[in-house]
């Protein structure tokens, strides 16, 4: 079964950049989608970005144009590039894997209930 380990978090100033990595012990193509979630202090967990096994990508409106999700097939790793970071981006970022019937609407990959494997999280702190 797929196991996920996140890395790459840290402390950056507003406007800075980070690249988060999610290394999978199993093939990322054995699941339908890989997603990045985050949970800030006193906030609910929220979806940040998704990449499906077919290569489709999605990003939340709050990060669109600043964050980019991608994958390296050879390394079996999913990345989240964080650019133009803001203080409100401060959160623990989690990588997760989703499994669902591919015949379902594309929006299915945006449903948290579809994600059944989660990493331990990596802290991103944006502060001046």
């Amino acid at each position: 079964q797929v196991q996920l380990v996140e890395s790459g978090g840290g402390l950056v100033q507003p406007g800075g950049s980070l690249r988060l990595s999610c290394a999978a012990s199993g093939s990322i193509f054995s699941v339908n989608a890989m997603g990045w979630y985050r949970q800030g202090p006193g906030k609910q967990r929220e979806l940040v970005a998704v990449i499906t096994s077919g290569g489709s990508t999605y990003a939340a409106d709050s990060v669109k144009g600043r964050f980019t999700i991608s994958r390296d097939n050879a390394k079996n790793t999913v990345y989240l590039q964080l650019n133009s970071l803001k203080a409100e981006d401060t959160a623990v970022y989690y990588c997760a894997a989703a499994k669902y019937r591919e015949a379902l609407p594309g929006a299915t990959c945006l449903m948290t209930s579809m994600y059944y494997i989660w990493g331990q999280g990596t802290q991103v702190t944006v502060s001046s």
Side-chain angles (χ1 to χ4, degrees), residues 17-29:
S17 298
L18 284 174
R19 189 180 75 163
L20 308 183
S21 298
C22 175
S25 62
S27 174
I28 59 176
F29 295 99

Side-chain angles (χ1 to χ4, degrees), residues 26-84:
S27 174
I28 59 176
F29 295 99
S30 67
V31 298
N32 298 107
M34 299 292 296
W36 284 97
Y37 282 77
R38 68 184 182 186
Q39 186 166 21
K43 300 179 180 179
Q44 296 293 315
R45 179 182 57 189
E46 63 176 341
L47 177 67
V48 176
V50 171
I51 185 166
T52 71
S53 59
S56 298
T57 60
Y58 304 84
D61 289 342
S62 60
V63 305
K64 195 172 297 181
R66 300 189 298 119
F67 294 5
T68 303
I69 189 169
S70 63
R71 69 186 181 211
D72 186 323
N73 297 344
K75 295 182 178 179
N76 203 35
T77 299
V78 176
Y79 303 97
L80 185 67
Q81 179 67 43
L82 316 178
N83 294 329
S84 302

Side-chain angles (χ1 to χ4, degrees), residues 1-2 4 27-35 37 50-53 96-104 108-118:
Q1 192 172 19
V2 173
L4 310 174
S27 174
I28 59 176
F29 295 99
S30 67
V31 298
N32 298 107
M34 299 292 296
Y37 282 77
V50 171
I51 185 166
T52 71
S53 59
K99 196 169 187 177
Y100 52 86
R101 295 180 61 188
E102 294 187 1
L104 294 173
T108 303
C109 68
L110 307 180
M111 299 174 61
T112 303
S113 61
M114 298 296 103
Y115 290 82
Y116 70 110
I117 300 176
W118 296 78

